[in-house]
Amino acid sequence: MENFHEPILQNPISCKGGGLAIYINKRVVELESQIEIFDPNPDPDNVNGEFQFVKLHNCKGFNKTKVIANVYRSPSRKADAFNLLLDSVLHKINRYSKKHIVMAGDFNMDLLKHDSTSDFQDLTNIMSNHGFVQIISRPTRVTDTSATLIDHVYTNNLDYTLSSSIITLDLSDHLGTLTKICLDKNSSTTKITPPHPLAVTAENCSTRIFNDANDEKFRSLINEECWESIDKNTDANAQFNEFLTIYTGHYNNAYPLKAKRSRRKNERHNSKPWILPWLEDAIARKDDLFHFSVKFPTSENVEAHKKMKKFCEKHVNIAKEQYTKKYFKQYGDNSKKQWQMINNLLGRKIYRNEQLRVKSA
């Protein structure tokens, strides 16, 4: 995913499929060296539960460390055995109790049946004994016949927890959980001051687009520049000013300033080029129908969502096929452009380790 570090993956041990993954946005921690993977599980081969832990150092430049944990319990494993393993893991991370810790995942324990199931009561008791509070209160898996709260989010610091909610995205048979946490020095009780009337906002600022194509253009402009005009001056300040003028000109040419436009109602961020505006509206309608079918799971609402989902999938595939055919026809004699599209369709990332060098005059 764009603007994310490479995902941290962990193979499954308690079942054949699945596995654990954590995606970390580069706005949270800029460098991979700020991400520390650690395993507090005293029995890594125990198949009754799966745990994935990372420490995020200096979040957003502040001297704060956050601990994020991904948890999974297979429904085929006994809940009491999972609770024993979880308790031993929590004992190991007690050393980090002064840091903000968030543990989230598919526990496959329905907390809506907390009062009638002793294993579920033991789970909440174990978490509370170690200072954790469960902050999801609505069902996270809804079917025609049931509604269960099996995806949990636990935190040891409510002051740094801004909000928690359920996301009704039609990506799996589970609903998503969303938890917003505070990453800076201050807790959520910090007073928010209104912006200065002359502050830069989305409505009055310009932006530059940084992508592989513009990077390649800038690299080409720099490599092709001969810099002869710099040698015409004998004064060091004049030479520097000439260098800066040339460099800035190439920079502005490769990364031109563009006024930030207002987005359409259903416009997606970094949308695929074959997703046209009318198709974005249809997908938004499909998401609304899914949300409505989860909230009011009548047969009519479920059927309306299925019909709209089938419509969107059909026309997305048609639009994608038409776009790629037109693209390959347009760049039939350009193998570089063709491979860019192939890599894009296959989801491959291009890594560039080369350094930019300035030719000497």
Side-chain angles (χ1 to χ4, degrees):
M1 292 190 294
E2 190 175 355
N3 296 323
F4 279 78
H5 293 284
E6 283 295 299
I8 303 169
L9 305 177
Q10 182 172 303
N11 293 326
I13 60 172
S14 60
C15 55
K16 291 183 178 180
L20 300 179
I22 295 178
Y23 291 81
I24 301 170
N25 195 294
K26 293 180 180 179
R27 291 181 299 173
V28 177
V29 288
E30 184 179 357
L31 305 175
E32 289 190 0
S33 59
Q34 297 171 247
I35 303 171
E36 179 184 348
I37 304 171
F38 71 104
D39 185 9
N41 190 347
D43 187 6
D45 296 326
N46 191 323
V47 297
N48 291 303
E50 301 179 36
F51 303 89
Q52 185 182 31
F53 282 82
V54 296
K55 284 190 284 188
L56 307 179
H57 300 287
N58 298 323
C59 293
K60 298 191 77 171
F62 295 104
N63 187 23
K64 288 289 183 181
T65 297
K66 302 287 182 179
V67 178
I68 307 296
N70 197 358
V71 183
Y72 176 69
R73 182 188 79 87
S74 170
S76 63
R77 305 297 174 179
K78 293 183 179 180
D80 57 346
F82 171 80
N83 287 338
L84 289 174
L85 179 60
L86 175 65
D87 189 38
S88 63
V89 171
L90 292 174
H91 274 293
K92 287 288 186 179
I93 65 171
N94 275 341
R95 68 181 72 177
Y96 307 117
S97 60
K98 292 185 178 180
K99 301 184 184 301
H100 186 201
I101 305 174
V102 178
M103 299 182 65
D106 181 4
F107 285 71
N108 275 304
M109 295 190 192
D110 184 11
L111 293 186
L112 298 181
K113 298 179 181 178
H114 172 272
D115 294 339
S116 59
T117 309
S118 60
D119 288 332
F120 300 171
Q121 294 171 11
D122 291 341
L123 170 65
T124 55
N125 289 336
I126 290 171
M127 297 302 294
S128 63
N129 288 340
H130 289 276
F132 287 87
V133 178
Q134 210 285 121
I135 56 177
I136 300 296
S137 59
R138 296 183 178 231
T140 60
R141 188 173 186 271
V142 180
T143 66
D144 296 339
T145 58
S146 66
T148 54
L149 201 173
I150 58 178
D151 301 279
H152 310 169
V153 178
Y154 295 90
T155 178
N156 67 339
N157 192 325
L158 288 175
D159 284 340
Y160 284 92
T161 305
L162 304 178
S163 66
S164 61
S165 56
I166 301 296
I167 306 175
T168 54
L169 288 178
D170 189 14
L171 297 177
S172 81
D173 58 340
H174 291 241
L175 304 178
T177 57
L178 173 64
T179 301
K180 296 181 181 180
I181 62 176
C182 186
L183 297 176
D184 61 13
K185 301 178 184 178
N186 306 309
S187 69
S188 57
T189 57
T190 303
K191 182 180 179 181
I192 300 176
T193 57
H196 190 276
L198 297 181
V200 176
T201 63
E203 288 75 22
N204 63 15
C205 72
S206 299
T207 60
R208 298 182 190 271
I209 297 177
F210 297 92
N211 53 32
D212 290 341
N214 289 348
D215 290 345
E216 185 63 33
K217 182 177 181 180
F218 180 61
R219 187 178 292 105
S220 176
L221 290 171
I222 291 295
N223 287 333
E224 292 174 1
E225 178 62 49
C226 62
W227 310 99
E228 291 180 353
S229 59
I230 297 178
D231 290 337
K232 295 179 180 179
N233 297 298
T234 57
D235 181 66
N237 290 328
Q239 288 181 332
F240 175 78
N241 290 335
E242 180 65 19
F243 166 80
L244 189 61
T245 300
I246 297 173
Y247 184 90
T248 304
H250 291 327
Y251 182 85
N252 290 329
N253 190 2
Y255 309 105
L257 276 173
K258 293 187 177 181
K260 202 165 186 178
R261 64 177 179 83
S262 58
R263 297 171 65 87
R264 297 188 304 274
K265 179 181 178 182
N266 296 316
E267 184 176 358
R268 295 181 161 198
H269 181 65
N270 293 330
S271 177
K272 300 296 184 183
W274 53 82
I275 304 295
L276 302 176
W278 71 268
L279 201 47
E280 288 178 327
D281 294 337
I283 293 172
R285 173 62 177 161
K286 183 246 325 177
D287 292 340
D288 290 340
L289 288 173
F290 178 68
H291 177 84
F292 198 68
S293 67
V294 170
K295 193 173 183 179
F296 305 103
T298 64
S299 57
E300 293 83 1
N301 293 340
V302 172
E303 186 60 32
H305 166 253
K306 287 182 178 179
K307 184 177 180 180
M308 194 63 185
K309 180 180 179 181
K310 186 176 181 180
F311 173 87
C312 290
E313 290 176 347
K314 173 184 175 181
H315 287 279
V316 166
N317 290 333
I318 292 174
K320 183 177 181 180
E321 182 179 359
Q322 291 177 345
Y323 176 83
T324 52
K325 283 183 178 179
K326 183 178 179 181
Y327 184 94
F328 283 115
K329 184 178 180 180
Q330 180 180 356
Y331 297 104
D333 56 349
N334 189 332
S335 60
K336 182 178 180 180
K337 287 286 187 180
Q338 292 181 8
W339 274 109
Q340 285 178 352
M341 173 57 73
I342 292 172
N343 290 329
N344 183 34
L345 293 174
L346 295 178
R348 295 173 179 169
K349 294 190 71 174
I350 300 175
Y351 299 93
R352 298 184 183 275
N353 296 322
E354 56 189 290
Q355 294 182 347
L356 185 64
R357 295 182 179 180
V358 178
K359 289 182 179 180
S360 58

